[in-house]
Amino acid sequence: AYLLKNSWIVQAIALADLVSCLVYNIVGMKVTEAMSGVMRTMLEATRTLMVWIFNLGWHYFVNPSSTFGEAWTAWSYLELFGFALLILGQ
């Protein structure tokens, strides 16, 4: 609480997080209203794929020595299979 009260940077990050959650949920409700709950669920699942692709891209195209990205490993095939199972199981 002390850090949140006394740091404008932490306050700005907390506000940005709050706004992003608000926008995310409003957009989700609009997608459900315009299309269906199934479509929203599919979009939520593809969000996972986009995060994974972003992490792979960061590792291979931006900074391979960064701990932020993710390299393709032997386990990545299992991860890809799990994602396909997630999508096909919906």
Side-chain angles (χ1 to χ4, degrees):
Y2 174 82
L3 193 58
L4 184 60
K5 184 178 176 183
N6 294 308
S7 173
W8 70 269
I9 295 173
V10 175
Q11 291 171 355
I13 291 170
L15 181 64
D17 184 52
L18 180 73
V19 169
S20 73
C21 288
L22 178 69
V23 170
Y24 175 76
N25 286 309
I26 289 172
V27 168
M29 288 188 299
K30 291 296 181 185
V31 166
T32 304
E33 180 183 313
M35 295 176 206
S36 70
V38 174
M39 186 60 164
R40 181 176 180 183
T41 303
M42 295 297 286
L43 290 172
E44 299 253 352
T46 57
R47 179 183 57 172
T48 305
L49 179 64
M50 292 300 115
V51 169
W52 189 41
I53 289 172
F54 178 83
N55 282 331
L56 286 169
W58 187 274
H59 177 76
Y60 288 107
F61 301 114
V62 177
N63 187 359
S65 62
S66 172
T67 58
F68 184 67
E70 177 182 342
W72 185 271
T73 66
W75 294 103
S76 297
Y77 294 105
L78 182 61
E79 196 171 356
L80 186 61
F81 173 73
F83 179 75
L85 195 62
L86 173 73
I87 293 298
L88 295 174
Q90 290 188 22

